[in-house]
Amino acid sequence: MRLSTFILFLGLALPSRAQDSLIAYVDPFIGTGGHGHTFPGATVPFGMVQLSPDNGRNGWDWCSGYHYSDSLIAGFSHTHLSGTGIGDWLDISVMPLTAPLDDTTKSIKIRFSHDNEQASPGYYQVTLDNGIKVALTATERTGFHRYTYPQGVKPVIRFDLAFRQNWDNPTETHVSVLNDSTLIGYRYSTGWAKVQRVYFAARTSKAFIKTVLSDGQSASDMIDMTETYDEGQGVSAQLLFENTADNTVELKVALSMTSYQKALEELNQAGGRTFDDVHTSAEDQWEKELQKIKINSTDTALKRIFYTALYHTAISPTLYSDADGEYKNAKDDTHTMPAGANRYTLFSLWDTFRALNPLFTLTQPEKYTDMLNSMLTFHDENGLLPVWDLSTWETNTMTGYHAIPVLADALLKDWPGVDAERAYQAMLKSAHQDIRGVPDYIQYGYLPQDKAGGSVTVTLEYAFDDWCIAQVAKKLGKTADYATFMNRSKSYAQLFDKETGFMRAKKSDGQFVEPFDPFWSEHDLDKSQYIEGNAWQHSFFVPHDVQGLAGLYGGNAGLSKKLDELFAAPSEMHGENVSPDASGFIGQYAHGNEPSHHIAYMYSYIGEAWKTQERVRQVVDSMYHDGPDGYAGNEDAGQMSAWAVWSIAGLYPANPASGEYVFGSPLADETTFELPNGKQFVIRTVNGSSKNSYIQSITLNGKPYENTYLRHQELLSGGELVFKMGPKPSKRYGRKPETWPTSG
C-alpha cells in the first residue's frame, strides 16, 4: 500500500480526532521490509499481546513473522518480537477459513495484497483474497479479532498451536472447549528461549455449533459441541459457525504466562468491551505516548519517520505478569511482583543500553521503575543480571553485561523506586561471574582470543561496563571499588595496535593474532574477533574515555584522522562468513548495527563538533526512510528508532551512562519534550533547513551556551534551547576543551 493511500485511510478512520493527532504520522509498515524485522500488527505500549499476521515462512527476514515482500498469510498470532535478529514466539496462531480443513494437520496460507491491507497504532486490517476481512486490535493482555466472511460462507476459525516459524518449536499444547463460545489452553515451546509457556482463554461473539480437534498427528472427526479437549505437540481446533445476516464473528483471546485460569480471569475482565471500544482505547494510549515528544516540521516524511520511530521505542520490553502481578518464570516458579508493579521481559540489552534506555528516563516515568526492577528480579531468580532476557530465559545472546549501564544510568540520575545497594551488588556479581570470559578478562587485563571468541568486542564492552560500575561506586562512597573498576575500564588500551591504528585481538601470550585484516568479518562467535562487524566499527567503542582513546592515536588530530578514514573507507567486508548484521554503510561506518551508533558524535569530544553535525545529518538523511525498507538494519527492539528520535531532535547520549546528551544537527524546526516532572523542554532551530545543517551558536533560556552537550538535569529543569543554524561549519563553536562532553 502506498503511503499516500495509508495517510488517506487514517484521515478517514479518525474523523473525530484533532488536526494535530500524531498517530496519523505513524506507519507500522516502516521496518517490515529490508532487514528491519518489525511487525505491522496491533499492540498497545509495552503490551503482552502483539497481534499480527505471520507469513508462515522461515528465514532471517521473517524474524517478526512477517516481511513486506511476502504475499501469503498463514495466521494471526499473539506474540511477536520487534526488530530482532532471531525469530521466536508467534504464539497462539488463529486463522479464519471459508470451510473446515479435511486434513486437520495441514498448514494453510492465504494470498493477500498490500492494496487491501492497512495498519495504524493499535490496529491492523487486511482483506484476504478468499474474501474474509480481518480486523485486529488489542489491550495489554487481550487480542481482539473481527472476521467478516463473504455472504453464503459458513464461518470457520482455526486455532493452530502447532504453528511455528524459524527457531520456535512446540513441545506441549492443549485445548479444552468449555462451552459453545469459550475455549482455553496452552502452548509450551522451545526456541531461542529454551522454555516458553503461554496460556490462553478465548471467547467468540457467536456460538459455534461444531468443533474439530486434532492432536497434531492425524486428522480428527468433526464432533458436536460438547465439553472436549485435546493435547499433543501440535493441537489444532476448528470452530464451525452458522452463517448469519452480517456474517461477522468477533473473537477475544486473553493471554497469561502463569495459567489458563489467569487467562480466563483476564478474558472475563474484558467483559462487554466491544472491538470498537478497544480500538479507540488503543489509539488513545498511543496518542498519549506520542505526545511525550512532539516535533514541528514542514517535512511530512520527516514526521512519519520520527513518530514511527517514537512508536517503535514503546513496544518492548513487553509485559510478562498478570494483572495482579503474578507470573511464572522459565524455572516454572510462580512469583508475584510487589503491589501495583509489573514484570517485563524481552530485554535486548546489547542494543538498547545505547539510546533506548536513556530515552526511557525521559519518556517512561510510569513504567521504567518496573522495567529496572524486572532486571533485578531476574538477578534474584537466576544469580546474574540479564544479558538477553526472553520469556525470563537467559538466551546469553551478544556480549558485555549491559544491564549494568542501564542500571547505572538510572542510579546516577536518581531514578525513584530502585534500591541502589541492591542494584550495585547485582552489578558486582556480573563483573565477577565465572562465565562469559570474565575470569580471563580479569586475569589478563583483556580477553585473549585463544580463550574465547569475540575477544576484542568483549574486552571493549566489559571496559565500558566497568566504568559504569565505577561511577556508581563513587556515588555510593565505595572508594576502593571505584579505583578497581576505573582501572578495569582502561582495559581497552591493552588491545590497541599503534602500527595499524586498530583494536586487535591478542592471544594469552600477549601477541597480536595474525594475520590481520581490518575489513575481515566472521559471523561465527567462536571464530570471530569482532561481534557482527570488523575492526573498523569496533575500534571506536570507548565512549567513556574518548580522550584516552585519542591519546593512543597521538592526540585529538590522530583520532580525528582515523574517524575521517572510517567514513571514507571502501564499503566492503572480507571473509567467507561475513556477518549480515553489519549494514547501512557510509564508508566503514555501519549504521545498520549498533556498535557504530555513537561514532559520529565522537568528533565533539575532540573539538570538531562541526564534523559531528555533518555526519549525523548524513546518517539521518540516508539511513531512515518512510517506506517498508525504512531502517538500515534490524530495528532491534527500539534502538534503531531511539537513535532517530534523539538525533532528529538534535542530541544523543553518546556515553549512555554519563547523563550528557551530545549535540548533533537538529532536523526538526522545534522539538518539545513533555517531561516527567510536568515541565517542558523545547529545542528550536533558527534558519534550520536541509542545507543549513551546521550549528552557528546556541542559547539556553535566552543566554549564550557554549557547551557541545546538555546535562540531563539541565533538560529536566525545562526551558528553551535554540540552535542558530547555517550552511557552513562554524569551526570556532566547540573548539575549547572546556565545552566538550566529559571523558575519562
Side-chain angles (χ1 to χ4, degrees), residues 83-137:
T84 61
I86 298 179
D88 210 326
W89 284 10
L90 312 183
D91 294 289
I92 321 303
S93 179
V94 181
M95 189 67 170
L97 303 173
T98 56
L101 300 177
D102 293 331
D103 181 356
T104 55
T105 65
K106 181 182 179 181
S107 61
I108 187 168
K109 299 177 184 178
I110 307 299
R111 191 165 295 278
F112 78 104
S113 167
H114 294 304
D115 292 336
N116 298 318
E117 185 183 40
Q118 301 162 340
S120 60
Y123 183 77
Y124 174 85
Q125 177 183 309
V126 65
T127 299
L128 302 171
D129 282 8
N130 63 8
I132 299 176
K133 180 179 178 181
V134 176
L136 309 174
T137 190

Short mmCIF file of all heavy atoms in Angstrom, two decimals, residues 83-137:
data_model
loop_
_atom_site.label_atom_id
_atom_site.label_comp_id
_atom_site.label_asym_id
_atom_site.label_seq_id
_atom_site.Cartn_x
_atom_site.Cartn_y
_atom_site.Cartn_z
N GLY A 83 11.89 -6.31 15.55
CA GLY A 83 13.18 -5.86 15.05
C GLY A 83 14.38 -6.68 15.44
O GLY A 83 15.51 -6.23 15.24
N THR A 84 14.20 -7.87 15.99
CA THR A 84 15.34 -8.66 16.45
C THR A 84 15.99 -9.43 15.30
O THR A 84 15.44 -9.52 14.20
CB THR A 84 14.93 -9.65 17.54
OG1 THR A 84 13.95 -10.55 17.01
CG2 THR A 84 14.34 -8.92 18.73
N GLY A 85 17.13 -10.06 15.58
CA GLY A 85 17.84 -10.82 14.56
C GLY A 85 17.63 -12.31 14.66
O GLY A 85 18.23 -13.07 13.90
N ILE A 86 16.80 -12.76 15.61
CA ILE A 86 16.48 -14.17 15.76
C ILE A 86 14.96 -14.28 15.86
O ILE A 86 14.32 -13.49 16.54
CB ILE A 86 17.15 -14.79 17.00
CG1 ILE A 86 18.68 -14.70 16.87
CG2 ILE A 86 16.73 -16.24 17.19
CD1 ILE A 86 19.44 -15.27 18.05
N GLY A 87 14.38 -15.30 15.19
CA GLY A 87 12.94 -15.46 15.17
C GLY A 87 12.45 -16.37 16.29
O GLY A 87 13.00 -17.44 16.52
N ASP A 88 11.42 -15.92 17.01
CA ASP A 88 10.85 -16.71 18.10
C ASP A 88 9.43 -16.22 18.37
O ASP A 88 8.91 -15.36 17.66
CB ASP A 88 11.72 -16.59 19.36
CG ASP A 88 11.66 -17.84 20.23
OD1 ASP A 88 10.61 -18.49 20.28
OD2 ASP A 88 12.68 -18.17 20.86
N TRP A 89 8.82 -16.82 19.42
CA TRP A 89 7.45 -16.51 19.85
C TRP A 89 6.42 -16.89 18.77
O TRP A 89 6.41 -18.03 18.34
CB TRP A 89 7.33 -15.05 20.28
CG TRP A 89 7.91 -14.77 21.64
CD1 TRP A 89 8.68 -15.63 22.39
CD2 TRP A 89 7.79 -13.57 22.39
NE1 TRP A 89 9.04 -15.02 23.57
CE2 TRP A 89 8.51 -13.76 23.60
CE3 TRP A 89 7.16 -12.35 22.17
CZ2 TRP A 89 8.59 -12.77 24.58
CZ3 TRP A 89 7.24 -11.36 23.14
CH2 TRP A 89 7.94 -11.57 24.33
N LEU A 90 5.55 -15.99 18.35
CA LEU A 90 4.45 -16.28 17.42
C LEU A 90 3.48 -17.30 18.02
O LEU A 90 3.07 -18.27 17.37
CB LEU A 90 4.98 -16.77 16.07
CG LEU A 90 6.11 -15.97 15.42
CD1 LEU A 90 6.47 -16.56 14.06
CD2 LEU A 90 5.76 -14.51 15.30
N ASP A 91 3.10 -17.06 19.26
CA ASP A 91 2.26 -18.00 19.99
C ASP A 91 0.77 -17.77 19.72
O ASP A 91 0.33 -16.65 19.50
CB ASP A 91 2.51 -17.86 21.50
CG ASP A 91 3.91 -18.29 21.88
OD1 ASP A 91 4.19 -19.49 21.83
OD2 ASP A 91 4.73 -17.41 22.23
N ILE A 92 0.01 -18.84 19.80
CA ILE A 92 -1.45 -18.87 19.70
C ILE A 92 -1.89 -18.27 18.36
O ILE A 92 -2.41 -17.16 18.27
CB ILE A 92 -2.14 -18.15 20.89
CG1 ILE A 92 -1.41 -18.43 22.20
CG2 ILE A 92 -3.61 -18.55 20.93
CD1 ILE A 92 -1.28 -19.90 22.56
N SER A 93 -1.67 -19.03 17.30
CA SER A 93 -2.00 -18.62 15.95
C SER A 93 -3.46 -18.92 15.64
O SER A 93 -3.94 -20.03 15.88
CB SER A 93 -1.10 -19.34 14.94
OG SER A 93 -1.42 -18.96 13.61
N VAL A 94 -4.14 -17.93 15.09
CA VAL A 94 -5.56 -18.05 14.75
C VAL A 94 -5.74 -17.68 13.28
O VAL A 94 -5.10 -16.75 12.79
CB VAL A 94 -6.42 -17.12 15.63
CG1 VAL A 94 -7.90 -17.26 15.29
CG2 VAL A 94 -6.19 -17.42 17.11
N MET A 95 -6.63 -18.42 12.58
CA MET A 95 -6.86 -18.15 11.17
C MET A 95 -8.33 -18.35 10.83
O MET A 95 -8.89 -19.42 11.10
CB MET A 95 -6.00 -19.08 10.30
CG MET A 95 -6.01 -18.73 8.83
SD MET A 95 -5.19 -17.15 8.49
CE MET A 95 -5.09 -17.19 6.70
N PRO A 96 -8.98 -17.35 10.23
CA PRO A 96 -10.34 -17.55 9.74
C PRO A 96 -10.32 -18.29 8.40
O PRO A 96 -9.46 -18.03 7.55
CB PRO A 96 -10.86 -16.12 9.58
CG PRO A 96 -9.64 -15.32 9.24
CD PRO A 96 -8.51 -15.97 10.00
N LEU A 97 -11.26 -19.20 8.20
CA LEU A 97 -11.33 -20.00 6.98
C LEU A 97 -12.74 -19.97 6.41
O LEU A 97 -13.72 -19.75 7.13
CB LEU A 97 -10.93 -21.45 7.27
CG LEU A 97 -9.55 -21.70 7.88
CD1 LEU A 97 -9.40 -23.17 8.27
CD2 LEU A 97 -8.45 -21.26 6.94
N THR A 98 -12.86 -20.25 5.13
CA THR A 98 -14.17 -20.29 4.48
C THR A 98 -14.80 -21.68 4.52
O THR A 98 -15.96 -21.85 4.17
CB THR A 98 -14.05 -19.84 3.01
OG1 THR A 98 -13.08 -20.66 2.35
CG2 THR A 98 -13.64 -18.37 2.93
N ALA A 99 -14.00 -22.67 4.94
CA ALA A 99 -14.51 -24.04 5.08
C ALA A 99 -13.56 -24.80 5.98
O ALA A 99 -12.36 -24.50 6.03
CB ALA A 99 -14.61 -24.73 3.72
N PRO A 100 -14.05 -25.80 6.71
CA PRO A 100 -13.15 -26.57 7.58
C PRO A 100 -12.17 -27.39 6.75
O PRO A 100 -12.46 -27.81 5.63
CB PRO A 100 -14.11 -27.47 8.36
CG PRO A 100 -15.34 -27.56 7.51
CD PRO A 100 -15.45 -26.25 6.80
N LEU A 101 -11.00 -27.60 7.32
CA LEU A 101 -9.98 -28.43 6.67
C LEU A 101 -10.29 -29.90 6.90
O LEU A 101 -10.55 -30.32 8.04
CB LEU A 101 -8.60 -28.09 7.23
CG LEU A 101 -8.09 -26.65 7.06
CD1 LEU A 101 -6.75 -26.50 7.74
CD2 LEU A 101 -7.99 -26.28 5.59
N ASP A 102 -10.25 -30.68 5.84
CA ASP A 102 -10.42 -32.12 5.99
C ASP A 102 -9.21 -32.74 6.69
O ASP A 102 -9.35 -33.61 7.55
CB ASP A 102 -10.62 -32.77 4.62
CG ASP A 102 -11.94 -32.36 3.97
OD1 ASP A 102 -12.90 -32.07 4.72
OD2 ASP A 102 -11.99 -32.30 2.73
N ASP A 103 -8.02 -32.25 6.31
CA ASP A 103 -6.79 -32.72 6.95
C ASP A 103 -6.43 -31.70 8.03
O ASP A 103 -5.91 -30.62 7.74
CB ASP A 103 -5.67 -32.83 5.92
CG ASP A 103 -4.37 -33.33 6.53
OD1 ASP A 103 -4.31 -33.51 7.77
OD2 ASP A 103 -3.39 -33.51 5.78
N THR A 104 -6.70 -32.01 9.28
CA THR A 104 -6.52 -31.05 10.37
C THR A 104 -5.06 -30.81 10.72
O THR A 104 -4.74 -29.93 11.51
CB THR A 104 -7.26 -31.52 11.62
OG1 THR A 104 -6.83 -32.84 11.95
CG2 THR A 104 -8.76 -31.51 11.39
N THR A 105 -4.16 -31.61 10.16
CA THR A 105 -2.74 -31.38 10.40
C THR A 105 -2.13 -30.45 9.37
O THR A 105 -0.97 -30.09 9.45
CB THR A 105 -1.97 -32.72 10.36
OG1 THR A 105 -2.04 -33.27 9.04
CG2 THR A 105 -2.55 -33.70 11.36
N LYS A 106 -2.92 -30.05 8.40
CA LYS A 106 -2.42 -29.27 7.27
C LYS A 106 -2.16 -27.82 7.65
O LYS A 106 -2.95 -27.21 8.35
CB LYS A 106 -3.42 -29.33 6.12
CG LYS A 106 -3.01 -28.57 4.87
CD LYS A 106 -4.12 -28.67 3.82
CE LYS A 106 -3.75 -27.91 2.55
NZ LYS A 106 -4.85 -27.99 1.55
N SER A 107 -1.02 -27.29 7.20
CA SER A 107 -0.79 -25.85 7.32
C SER A 107 -1.43 -25.18 6.11
O SER A 107 -1.55 -25.78 5.04
CB SER A 107 0.70 -25.54 7.38
OG SER A 107 1.35 -25.97 6.19
N ILE A 108 -1.85 -23.96 6.29
CA ILE A 108 -2.55 -23.27 5.22
C ILE A 108 -2.05 -21.84 5.12
O ILE A 108 -1.74 -21.20 6.12
CB ILE A 108 -4.08 -23.30 5.45
CG1 ILE A 108 -4.83 -22.74 4.24
CG2 ILE A 108 -4.47 -22.57 6.73
CD1 ILE A 108 -6.31 -23.01 4.28
N LYS A 109 -1.95 -21.35 3.89
CA LYS A 109 -1.54 -19.97 3.65
C LYS A 109 -2.50 -19.36 2.63
O LYS A 109 -2.75 -19.96 1.59
CB LYS A 109 -0.10 -19.91 3.11
CG LYS A 109 0.95 -20.49 4.06
CD LYS A 109 2.33 -20.48 3.43
CE LYS A 109 3.36 -21.14 4.34
NZ LYS A 109 4.71 -21.18 3.72
N ILE A 110 -2.99 -18.17 2.94
CA ILE A 110 -3.96 -17.48 2.09
C ILE A 110 -3.28 -16.26 1.47
O ILE A 110 -2.59 -15.50 2.14
CB ILE A 110 -5.19 -17.03 2.89
CG1 ILE A 110 -5.80 -18.22 3.65
CG2 ILE A 110 -6.23 -16.39 1.97
CD1 ILE A 110 -6.28 -19.35 2.78
N ARG A 111 -3.51 -16.08 0.18
CA ARG A 111 -2.90 -14.95 -0.52
C ARG A 111 -3.60 -13.64 -0.14
O ARG A 111 -4.79 -13.61 0.17
CB ARG A 111 -2.98 -15.19 -2.04
CG ARG A 111 -2.14 -14.22 -2.87
CD ARG A 111 -1.99 -14.74 -4.29
NE ARG A 111 -1.24 -15.99 -4.33
CZ ARG A 111 0.08 -16.06 -4.29
NH1 ARG A 111 0.80 -14.94 -4.22
NH2 ARG A 111 0.69 -17.23 -4.34
N PHE A 112 -2.83 -12.56 -0.15
CA PHE A 112 -3.38 -11.23 0.09
C PHE A 112 -2.57 -10.21 -0.70
O PHE A 112 -1.49 -10.50 -1.22
CB PHE A 112 -3.33 -10.87 1.59
CG PHE A 112 -1.95 -10.46 2.07
CD1 PHE A 112 -1.65 -9.13 2.31
CD2 PHE A 112 -0.95 -11.41 2.27
CE1 PHE A 112 -0.39 -8.75 2.75
CE2 PHE A 112 0.32 -11.03 2.70
CZ PHE A 112 0.60 -9.70 2.94
N SER A 113 -3.11 -8.99 -0.78
CA SER A 113 -2.42 -7.90 -1.47
C SER A 113 -2.25 -6.73 -0.51
O SER A 113 -3.15 -6.44 0.30
CB SER A 113 -3.23 -7.44 -2.69
OG SER A 113 -2.73 -6.21 -3.19
N HIS A 114 -1.12 -6.04 -0.59
CA HIS A 114 -0.92 -4.85 0.24
C HIS A 114 -1.94 -3.76 -0.08
O HIS A 114 -2.18 -2.88 0.76
CB HIS A 114 0.50 -4.31 0.06
CG HIS A 114 1.57 -5.24 0.56
ND1 HIS A 114 1.59 -5.70 1.85
CD2 HIS A 114 2.64 -5.79 -0.06
CE1 HIS A 114 2.64 -6.50 2.02
NE2 HIS A 114 3.29 -6.57 0.87
N ASP A 115 -2.54 -3.81 -1.26
CA ASP A 115 -3.59 -2.84 -1.59
C ASP A 115 -4.80 -3.00 -0.68
O ASP A 115 -5.59 -2.06 -0.54
CB ASP A 115 -4.03 -3.01 -3.05
CG ASP A 115 -2.94 -2.60 -4.03
OD1 ASP A 115 -2.08 -1.79 -3.64
OD2 ASP A 115 -2.96 -3.10 -5.17
N ASN A 116 -4.95 -4.19 -0.10
CA ASN A 116 -6.09 -4.47 0.78
C ASN A 116 -5.66 -4.59 2.24
O ASN A 116 -6.31 -5.27 3.03
CB ASN A 116 -6.78 -5.76 0.34
CG ASN A 116 -7.32 -5.67 -1.07
OD1 ASN A 116 -7.89 -4.65 -1.45
ND2 ASN A 116 -7.13 -6.72 -1.85
N GLU A 117 -4.59 -3.92 2.61
CA GLU A 117 -4.00 -4.03 3.94
C GLU A 117 -3.78 -2.64 4.51
O GLU A 117 -3.35 -1.73 3.80
CB GLU A 117 -2.67 -4.78 3.82
CG GLU A 117 -1.99 -5.08 5.14
CD GLU A 117 -0.64 -5.76 4.93
OE1 GLU A 117 0.08 -5.35 3.99
OE2 GLU A 117 -0.29 -6.67 5.71
N GLN A 118 -4.09 -2.46 5.78
CA GLN A 118 -3.94 -1.17 6.44
C GLN A 118 -3.45 -1.40 7.87
O GLN A 118 -3.77 -2.42 8.48
CB GLN A 118 -5.27 -0.41 6.47
CG GLN A 118 -5.86 -0.15 5.10
CD GLN A 118 -7.34 0.20 5.16
OE1 GLN A 118 -8.02 -0.09 6.14
NE2 GLN A 118 -7.85 0.81 4.10
N ALA A 119 -2.71 -0.45 8.39
CA ALA A 119 -2.26 -0.55 9.78
C ALA A 119 -2.08 0.84 10.36
O ALA A 119 -1.69 1.78 9.65
CB ALA A 119 -0.95 -1.33 9.87
N SER A 120 -2.35 0.96 11.63
CA SER A 120 -2.11 2.18 12.39
C SER A 120 -1.88 1.76 13.83
O SER A 120 -2.11 0.59 14.18
CB SER A 120 -3.31 3.13 12.27
OG SER A 120 -4.49 2.52 12.76
N PRO A 121 -1.40 2.63 14.69
CA PRO A 121 -1.12 2.21 16.07
C PRO A 121 -2.33 1.57 16.75
O PRO A 121 -3.40 2.16 16.83
CB PRO A 121 -0.72 3.52 16.75
CG PRO A 121 -0.12 4.33 15.65
CD PRO A 121 -0.97 4.02 14.45
N GLY A 122 -2.17 0.34 17.18
CA GLY A 122 -3.25 -0.38 17.86
C GLY A 122 -4.26 -1.02 16.94
O GLY A 122 -5.29 -1.52 17.40
N TYR A 123 -3.97 -1.08 15.62
CA TYR A 123 -4.98 -1.59 14.68
C TYR A 123 -4.30 -2.16 13.45
O TYR A 123 -3.29 -1.64 12.96
CB TYR A 123 -5.91 -0.45 14.25
CG TYR A 123 -7.03 -0.87 13.32
CD1 TYR A 123 -8.14 -1.54 13.81
CD2 TYR A 123 -6.97 -0.60 11.95
CE1 TYR A 123 -9.18 -1.92 12.97
CE2 TYR A 123 -8.00 -0.97 11.10
CZ TYR A 123 -9.10 -1.63 11.61
OH TYR A 123 -10.12 -2.01 10.78
N TYR A 124 -4.86 -3.28 12.96
CA TYR A 124 -4.40 -3.88 11.71
C TYR A 124 -5.63 -4.42 10.97
O TYR A 124 -6.56 -4.96 11.59
CB TYR A 124 -3.41 -5.02 11.96
CG TYR A 124 -3.02 -5.78 10.71
CD1 TYR A 124 -1.99 -5.32 9.89
CD2 TYR A 124 -3.71 -6.94 10.33
CE1 TYR A 124 -1.64 -6.01 8.73
CE2 TYR A 124 -3.37 -7.62 9.18
CZ TYR A 124 -2.34 -7.15 8.37
OH TYR A 124 -2.01 -7.83 7.22
N GLN A 125 -5.62 -4.29 9.64
CA GLN A 125 -6.74 -4.77 8.83
C GLN A 125 -6.23 -5.31 7.51
O GLN A 125 -5.32 -4.73 6.90
CB GLN A 125 -7.73 -3.63 8.57
CG GLN A 125 -8.91 -4.00 7.68
CD GLN A 125 -9.80 -2.80 7.42
OE1 GLN A 125 -10.21 -2.11 8.34
NE2 GLN A 125 -10.07 -2.54 6.14
N VAL A 126 -6.81 -6.42 7.08
CA VAL A 126 -6.49 -6.96 5.76
C VAL A 126 -7.72 -7.71 5.24
O VAL A 126 -8.45 -8.33 6.01
CB VAL A 126 -5.27 -7.90 5.81
CG1 VAL A 126 -5.56 -9.16 6.64
CG2 VAL A 126 -4.80 -8.29 4.42
N THR A 127 -7.95 -7.60 3.94
CA THR A 127 -8.95 -8.44 3.28
C THR A 127 -8.20 -9.49 2.48
O THR A 127 -7.44 -9.16 1.55
CB THR A 127 -9.86 -7.63 2.36
OG1 THR A 127 -10.57 -6.66 3.14
CG2 THR A 127 -10.88 -8.54 1.69
N LEU A 128 -8.34 -10.75 2.89
CA LEU A 128 -7.65 -11.85 2.23
C LEU A 128 -8.27 -12.09 0.85
O LEU A 128 -9.42 -11.71 0.59
CB LEU A 128 -7.74 -13.10 3.08
CG LEU A 128 -7.17 -12.98 4.51
CD1 LEU A 128 -7.52 -14.22 5.32
CD2 LEU A 128 -5.66 -12.77 4.47
N ASP A 129 -7.50 -12.74 -0.01
CA ASP A 129 -8.00 -12.99 -1.37
C ASP A 129 -9.21 -13.93 -1.39
O ASP A 129 -9.93 -13.99 -2.39
CB ASP A 129 -6.88 -13.56 -2.25
CG ASP A 129 -5.91 -12.48 -2.71
OD1 ASP A 129 -6.03 -11.33 -2.22
OD2 ASP A 129 -5.04 -12.78 -3.54
N ASN A 130 -9.45 -14.66 -0.30
CA ASN A 130 -10.64 -15.52 -0.24
C ASN A 130 -11.88 -14.74 0.21
O ASN A 130 -12.94 -15.33 0.40
CB ASN A 130 -10.40 -16.72 0.67
CG ASN A 130 -10.13 -16.32 2.12
OD1 ASN A 130 -10.26 -15.17 2.51
ND2 ASN A 130 -9.74 -17.32 2.92
N GLY A 131 -11.72 -13.42 0.40
CA GLY A 131 -12.86 -12.57 0.71
C GLY A 131 -13.09 -12.29 2.17
O GLY A 131 -13.93 -11.45 2.53
N ILE A 132 -12.35 -12.94 3.07
CA ILE A 132 -12.52 -12.69 4.50
C ILE A 132 -11.81 -11.38 4.88
O ILE A 132 -10.63 -11.20 4.57
CB ILE A 132 -11.95 -13.84 5.35
CG1 ILE A 132 -12.67 -15.15 5.02
CG2 ILE A 132 -12.07 -13.52 6.84
CD1 ILE A 132 -12.09 -16.36 5.74
N LYS A 133 -12.54 -10.50 5.55
CA LYS A 133 -11.97 -9.25 6.04
C LYS A 133 -11.58 -9.44 7.50
O LYS A 133 -12.40 -9.83 8.33
CB LYS A 133 -12.97 -8.11 5.91
CG LYS A 133 -12.44 -6.77 6.40
CD LYS A 133 -13.48 -5.66 6.23
CE LYS A 133 -12.97 -4.32 6.75
NZ LYS A 133 -13.99 -3.25 6.59
N VAL A 134 -10.32 -9.16 7.81
CA VAL A 134 -9.77 -9.35 9.15
C VAL A 134 -9.44 -7.99 9.74
O VAL A 134 -8.78 -7.16 9.09
CB VAL A 134 -8.48 -10.21 9.10
CG1 VAL A 134 -7.86 -10.33 10.49
CG2 VAL A 134 -8.78 -11.58 8.51
N ALA A 135 -9.88 -7.73 10.95
CA ALA A 135 -9.51 -6.52 11.68
C ALA A 135 -9.04 -6.94 13.07
O ALA A 135 -9.64 -7.81 13.71
CB ALA A 135 -10.69 -5.56 11.79
N LEU A 136 -7.95 -6.34 13.54
CA LEU A 136 -7.33 -6.72 14.80
C LEU A 136 -7.06 -5.48 15.65
O LEU A 136 -6.67 -4.44 15.12
CB LEU A 136 -5.99 -7.44 14.56
CG LEU A 136 -5.97 -8.60 13.57
CD1 LEU A 136 -4.52 -9.07 13.36
CD2 LEU A 136 -6.84 -9.75 14.05
N THR A 137 -7.26 -5.60 16.94
CA THR A 137 -6.84 -4.58 17.89
C THR A 137 -6.48 -5.28 19.20
O THR A 137 -6.56 -6.52 19.28
CB THR A 137 -7.92 -3.49 18.07
OG1 THR A 137 -7.37 -2.40 18.84
CG2 THR A 137 -9.15 -4.03 18.77
#
